[in-house]
Amino acid sequence: MNSIEIDRLSGCCFGVAKAISKAEEELRRGNTLYCLGDIVHNNIEVERLEKMGLITVNHEQFKELKNVRVLLRAHGEPPVTYEIARRNNIELIDASCPVVLRLQKRIKEKYTHAAGNDGAQIVIFGKKGHAEVNGLLGQTDGSAIVIESKEEIGKLNFTKDISLFSQTTKSLEGFREVGELIGSRMKNGARFEFHDTICRHVSNRIPNIREFAEKHDLIFFIAGEKSSNGKVLFAECRKKNPASYLIHHPGEIDPSLLKEGLRIGICGATSTPMWQMESVAENIFYLLHH
Ligand code: SF4
């Protein structure tokens, strides 16, 4: 006898879930709706919404739009996006996550405040070119320094004040390590501020997923190919349970893995909708009984 359990703590975080339901609500009204960038790093979910009428555009295409409605996804946008919308009479459906908006505000305040502080640096620990990071950089007119890892801290000036922020989805451990390293290198009385801006909706997933992986004999982890959070969480699963398999589609299950008497667990990333995990469970059930 096998058991199949879906991790109820996996699935879309509230920011992404809210953006998807806003899109669905607008599309049900039958109005044309554009979305600036993929609404979620999950191809199947993007395709589902596109079938409902959502049109995904990139930033170049966005500049050419006029008199339409555009949804801003949870990652948030820099001020220039709002300016273009004003100029082109674009109605924005702003689904930026409130956690990201609060972080943008904090960075903007720090930037405004630091205006007279010669050489002060605003540093963002995040992925260069990531949509959320672009939105954060925009709060500083592009002047903040983005570092992706502790190896990059050499480019900072430790004799001048540093305020360190993080992209919301970075690993808490990595961020703390970067913070400690910078703090230990400050010189000549320069001040260092460490702003812990990691989203707990993501960082809490790591201990949860480790526990879930340990409790099962076989794990199917479903996430989109572009989901960086999916890669991190899957790696954690695998560390705890080597019998963990990453799949990008609910139908991608290797039947030879489904031996008798296994406790099977299904989990996913913060961009994996619950319906996809349910669909994996249904497929496993079908394979076990046919
Ligand atoms: S991970 Fe956190 S900050 Fe990012 S969209 Fe989800 S809830 Fe918002």
Side-chain angles (χ1 to χ4, degrees), residues 105-115 122 163 165 191 193 195:
K105 192 163 169 256
R106 282 175 75 178
I107 292 183
K108 191 178 177 64
E109 279 168 5
K110 181 48 68 183
Y111 176 60
T112 314
H113 209 71
I122 294 178
S163 297
F165 295 86
R191 275 181 307 144
E193 288 174 7
H195 301 272

Side-chain angles (χ1 to χ4, degrees), residues 13-16 74 97 99-100 168-169 199 201-202:
C13 62
F14 88 90
V16 171
C97 174
V99 178
V100 175
T168 55
T169 47
C199 174
H201 290 272
V202 176

Side-chain angles (χ1 to χ4, degrees), residues 195-244:
H195 301 272
D196 178 355
T197 52
I198 305 263
C199 174
R200 294 315 192 251
H201 290 272
V202 176
S203 62
N204 289 342
R205 294 281 171 103
I206 292 180
N208 291 338
I209 213 120
R210 284 179 184 154
E211 207 179 301
F212 185 79
E214 268 178 338
K215 277 193 338 205
H216 295 85
D217 304 306
L218 177 62
I219 292 284
F220 289 102
F221 185 99
I222 177 158
E225 286 169 53
K226 287 193 220 161
S227 167
S228 40
N229 156 262
K231 290 187 186 93
V232 172
L233 289 176
F234 176 65
E236 292 298 328
C237 263
R238 199 138 206 194
K239 269 191 231 159
K240 289 290 169 192
N241 185 341
S244 296

Side-chain angles (χ1 to χ4, degrees), residues 118-146:
D118 188 31
Q121 300 143 92
I122 294 178
V123 179
I124 299 165
F125 177 56
K127 191 161 186 283
K128 290 175 195 125
H130 186 284
E132 182 191 318
V133 173
N134 291 343
L136 302 178
L137 259 175
Q139 310 306 316
T140 67
D141 296 321
S143 68
I145 303 166
V146 180

Side-chain angles (χ1 to χ4, degrees), residues 156-170:
L156 307 180
N157 180 350
F158 300 104
T159 65
K160 300 286 183 184
D161 290 355
I162 293 177
S163 297
L164 176 67
F165 295 86
S166 174
Q167 180 184 344
T168 55
T169 47
K170 292 294 277 181

